[in-house]
Amino acid sequence: MSDRQPGATNSLTDVAGIRVGHADRRVGGWLSGTTVILAPDSGAVAGVDVRGGGPGTRETDLLDPRNQVERVHAIVFSGGSAFGLAAADGVMQRLFKAGVGYPTGGPGEVVPIVPGAVIFDLGRGGDFTKRPGAGMGQEAYDAAFSSPDGPALIGVVGAGTGAIAGGLKGAVGSASVLLADGATVAALVVVNSFGSCIDPLTGELYAARFGLLGEFTQLLPPKADEVVAARADAEVKIFPGGQGRLGAALATTIAVVATDATLTKAQCAKVSGIAHDGMARAIRPVHTMFDGDTVFTLATGDRGAPDMLAFHALLEAAGDCLTRAIGRAMLAAESVQTPAGLLRSYRDAFPSAFPATP
Amino acid sequence: MSDRQPGATNSLTDVAGIRVGHADRRVGGWLSGTTVILAPDSGAVAGVDVRGGGPGTRETDLLDPRNQVERVHAIVFSGGSAFGLAAADGVMQRLFKAGVGYPTGGPGEVVPIVPGAVIFDLGRGGDFTKRPGAGMGQEAYDAAFSSPDGPALIGVVGAGTGAIAGGLKGAVGSASVLLADGATVAALVVVNSFGSCIDPLTGELYAARFGLLGEFTQLLPPKADEVVAARADAEVKIFPGGQGRLGAALATTIAVVATDATLTKAQCAKVSGIAHDGMARAIRPVHTMFDGDTVFTLATGDRGAPDMLAFHALLEAAGDCLTRAIGRAMLAAESVQTPAGLLRSYRDAFPSAFPATP
C-alpha cells in the first residue's frame, strides 16, 4: 500500500497522447481479439524486454538501443498466437493512411513502426482457425478514436478476450500512478499466464498487497471451500485430458508501460525489465517455457528527463503499476462459457472475497 | 581461392529438403518482391544474428537459444520495408493449410513458425504504395514447389527485385560448398547494402578473391574510365538531391545460411554471427545505421552433429559462402530502368571486367 495516487482513470490513457483500442469476437467459434496502443503521431521512444520462453513478436530488434529507429507509432497485442501478428499489418495500413510513420523521403512516404506481441488463445472459442488478422487490427485502430478522453477499457476485451490465467479467466488490466515529480507512469497488460495470479492456499490475489490506497483493500479472504474448488478447477483447465483443449498450457502475458517522461531507448528497455519484476509479484510461476512474456515501454517525452532519483522512482512505479494492472485485470474479468467448458472469473470463483452490496 | 567444391547447383537448395520460391512485380509502379525459404515439413533448427542498425524483423525473439521453440518452418525475406512483414502472414496461411507447424493440440492444430526480415526498397518502382503483402508471400510459397530439384534462382528476383547495393543494382545471390566431412553449407542473400560491393579504386568485387576455383577467376580488372564513372554514378544514386529518390540511403542485406548438419539453436546463432563476417568481406561499409543486416541459419539435421573441428570448418565455410553468394548476386544482377533513372548492374557498369565471348 502506498500514499501515491493513481491518474484520473487509473489506466494507460492517463499518459497524455496515448490511445487504446480493442477489437474482438466471441461468437461463431471465436474467442480472441486485438488491442492497439497508439503513441502520439510523432511517435514515442520505446524499448522492450522479452523474458518468456515462448515469445511471438515483431519489430523488437529495432528497439535495441544500438539501433537507428528511436520512436514507434503503435504497439499491437493480439490473440491468435503467431497468426495474430497479422493484426499489426492492419494497424500499419491505417497509420500509413493517416500519414503517421518514420519519414523516408517525400511527403506521405512514411513507414509506421509497429512492434507487437501475441498471446496463445487458439481454439478457445471452439474453432482453431478463428484468429485475428489485418482486419481486426484496423478495427482496433478505429476503436482507439471512438472515446478520445476515456479510460482504457479493461476486462474481457481485445487481446484479452481469449485469455486464461492459471485456470481462471484472464483479461486486460490497466493501472496508473502519479509520481512526486509530476510524471505519470501507467501500464496495460493482457494476462494469459501459465502460472496463477492467486495464492493457492488462500485464494488471495498476489497483486492485492501492492495496491494503492483503496485499490484492493475491500477484498476479503475467500472461504476455504472456494479455495479448494478453484485449485481443483485450475488443474483441470491447465491440463485437461493431457492435451489442453482450452490450450491453457500455452500462455503469454504481454504488457506496455507508458510514461510522459523523456527517456532514452535504453532507459525504456530498463523500465521494461523492471516491469517484469512486477509481473513476477503478481503471477507465479511466470516467464516459463510456456509463456512468451514481453513488456514494451513507451515514453512520450511531454515532460523532462528524470534525474537519477526520479528515474529510480519511475522504475519502482513501473513494476508496481504492472502488478496492480494484473490484479485489476483479474478483478475486471467475467466468466465466459466456451465449447470446452466454463472459464470462471476470479469474481465467480471467489464470491466470498467480495463484500455484499449494502 | 580454395580446393573445395560447391554443391551440385552452387545454391541454397543443395541442402536437401530446403526449397526457395520467389514472387515479384516490376511494372505499374512496382519494383519489389518476396522470397521464401522453406524448411522440410518437420522444420529446421534455427538461429539468427541481427547486426544492422535499422532492422525490420519478426519472430526473432523465439530464436533465442534460451527459448522454447526449436524449429522453424520457413524464413521470409521481403521488400517493402516493415510493410513487407505482411508477406510472412501469407506463408503462414499456406503452411497451416498444408498442416505444417508447431503442434499445439489436436490434428491440424499447428502454428507455423515463420521468422522473417525485410529490406528497404520503397518507391523504387515509382509508387511508394506498391509493396509486398500476404498475397505475395503465398505466391512465393507456391513458386517454391514449381521446380522441386532446381537451383535457387538468383539475380533480380523475389526480395532482390528492388535491391540496390552501393549505387549498383543489387540482387539475390546464392552459393554452396561441400565440407570434408560430407556436410553441405549454403547461403542465400538479398544484397541491398548502403555500402559498396566493389573496391572504389579498382572496380573489383570484394568477394572475388574469396571464390572457389573457377568461381570468379575469369573476371578481369576493369578499365580506369569505368571505375571513375561508376564511382560518380554511385554517389548520385546514394544521395540524389540529398533526399534519395531511389531510397538507396536506406538499405539492408539479409541472408540465410543452411546446412544438413545437426546443430543446436545456439550453434545456429553462432553460424549466423560468423556469416556476418563474410558479409563484411564482401560489402564495405556494412551493418551501418542505414542497414538492417540480419542472418538466419537453418540446420536440417539430416547428418550428424559436428565435433569441434568439424564445427569450426562449418563456421569458416558459412562466412565464405555468404561472401561468395554476395559476389554471385552482383554478377547475376541485370540493369533495371526505373522512373528515377537507370539502376546499372555490375556487368553493365564494368563491361571490361568480362572477357569477350570467343
Side-chain angles (χ1 to χ4, degrees), chain A residues 103-106 109, chain B residues 194 234-250 290:
Chain A
T104 68
E109 296 185 350
Chain B
F194 176 82
E235 279 161 17
V236 171
K237 289 281 173 17
I238 291 177
F239 294 113
Q243 275 296 330
R245 280 305 302 165
L246 288 168
L250 289 169
F290 303 116

Side-chain angles (χ1 to χ4, degrees), chain A residues 103-158:
Chain A
T104 68
E109 296 185 350
V110 296
V111 180
I113 307 298
V114 184
V118 292
I119 68 163
F120 185 91
D121 61 3
L122 290 168
R124 290 181 184 164
D127 186 339
F128 194 88
T129 68
K130 303 295 189 191
R131 50 219 179 194
M136 197 166 276
Q138 294 177 331
E139 276 180 56
Y141 175 93
D142 295 342
F145 292 91
S146 64
S147 171
D149 297 317
L153 292 180
I154 65 173
V156 180
V157 291

Side-chain angles (χ1 to χ4, degrees), chain B residues 81-167:
Chain B
S81 188
F83 296 106
L85 292 173
D89 304 329
V91 173
M92 282 192 73
Q93 290 156 18
R94 283 286 199 268
L95 285 166
F96 178 74
K97 205 172 157 190
V100 173
Y102 182 86
T104 68
E109 295 186 351
V110 296
V111 180
I113 306 298
V114 184
V118 292
I119 69 164
F120 185 91
D121 61 3
L122 289 168
R124 290 183 182 162
D127 186 338
F128 194 87
T129 68
K130 303 295 190 191
R131 51 219 176 194
M136 196 164 277
Q138 294 177 330
E139 277 181 55
Y141 175 93
D142 295 343
F145 291 91
S146 63
S147 170
D149 297 317
L153 291 180
I154 65 173
V156 181
V157 291
T161 301
I164 303 179

Side-chain angles (χ1 to χ4, degrees), chain A residues 64 68 80-81 105 124 131 145 159 214 244 251-252 285 325:
Chain A
D64 184 316
Q68 174 81 349
S81 187
R124 290 181 184 164
R131 50 219 179 194
F145 292 91
T252 285

Side-chain angles (χ1 to χ4, degrees), chain A residues 316-331:
Chain A
E316 187 179 345
D320 287 348
C321 261
L322 186 45
T323 303
R324 293 163 49 217
I326 292 168
R328 284 167 48 81
M330 296 307 289
L331 293 181

Side-chain angles (χ1 to χ4, degrees), chain A residues 254-277:
Chain A
I254 47 184
V256 61
V257 172
T259 180
D260 52 3
T262 294
L263 300 179
T264 64
K265 282 176 81 178
Q267 285 176 314
C268 286
K270 178 67 188 169
V271 172
S272 295
I274 214 160
H276 275 291
D277 297 334

Side-chain angles (χ1 to χ4, degrees), chain A residues 32-133:
Chain A
S32 191
T34 296
T35 296
V36 63
I37 297 98
L38 293 176
D41 285 356
S42 57
V45 174
V48 69
D49 191 356
V50 179
R51 292 196 59 197
T57 58
R58 52 167 275 155
E59 293 282 55
T60 49
D61 289 314
L62 63 83
L63 296 177
D64 184 316
R66 292 171 292 194
N67 291 342
Q68 174 81 349
V69 171
E70 293 282 327
R71 287 170 178 271
V72 310
H73 304 97
I75 302 287
V76 175
F77 290 160
S78 189
S81 187
F83 297 104
L85 293 172
D89 304 329
V91 174
M92 282 191 73
Q93 291 157 18
R94 282 286 199 269
L95 286 165
F96 178 75
K97 204 172 160 190
V100 173
Y102 183 86
T104 68
E109 296 185 350
V110 296
V111 180
I113 307 298
V114 184
V118 292
I119 68 163
F120 185 91
D121 61 3
L122 290 168
R124 290 181 184 164
D127 186 339
F128 194 88
T129 68
K130 303 295 189 191
R131 50 219 179 194

Side-chain angles (χ1 to χ4, degrees), chain A residues 17 119 181 216 220 276 297 328 344 348:
Chain A
I119 68 163
D181 69 354
F216 301 112
L220 304 172
H276 275 291
T297 294
R328 284 167 48 81
R344 285 201 301 169
D348 288 341

